[in-house]
Amino acid sequence: MQDLNNTQFFKAVQNTQVEVADVLKEVYEALSEKGYNPTSQIVGYIMSGDPTYITSHMGARSLIMKVERDEIVEEIFRSYVENNLK
């Protein structure tokens, strides 16, 4: 039995950096594959924070929850500016 009076150490979970653009691409594909309107569903998720807007198909719901909603908005805006305003 372990001595509970001493400090216990745990190995840290490795933090893998997730690229927001890659997350959006995979989520968009999963939503399309299931027959949803990806734009509408992603906007619904961003506005409400309700993960049920995103299908669990292909792990899309778990994946999108790995990034903050404000990071998603930043990525969408950055992409829009790069592709439309330059």
Side-chain angles (χ1 to χ4, degrees), residues 10-24:
F10 299 94
K11 290 184 179 181
V13 175
Q14 196 167 12
N15 187 8
T16 55
Q17 188 68 11
V18 177
E19 292 294 326
V20 179
D22 295 336
V23 168
L24 285 171

Side-chain angles (χ1 to χ4, degrees), residues 2-67:
Q2 293 181 338
D3 182 6
L4 300 178
N5 294 322
N6 293 325
T7 301
Q8 301 294 312
F9 294 96
F10 299 94
K11 290 184 179 181
V13 175
Q14 196 167 12
N15 187 8
T16 55
Q17 188 68 11
V18 177
E19 292 294 326
V20 179
D22 295 336
V23 168
L24 285 171
K25 181 177 184 252
E26 290 185 41
V27 169
Y28 191 95
E29 289 173 0
L31 288 164
S32 294
E33 194 172 292
K34 289 299 281 184
Y36 295 111
N37 177 333
T39 301
S40 177
Q41 296 302 112
I42 292 170
V43 168
Y45 171 69
I46 291 170
M47 297 298 292
S48 70
D50 183 358
T52 60
Y53 275 96
I54 308 301
T55 181
S56 59
H57 179 65
M58 295 172 44
R61 186 177 299 154
S62 297
L63 188 59
I64 203 164
M65 290 172 56
K66 290 182 180 182
V67 296

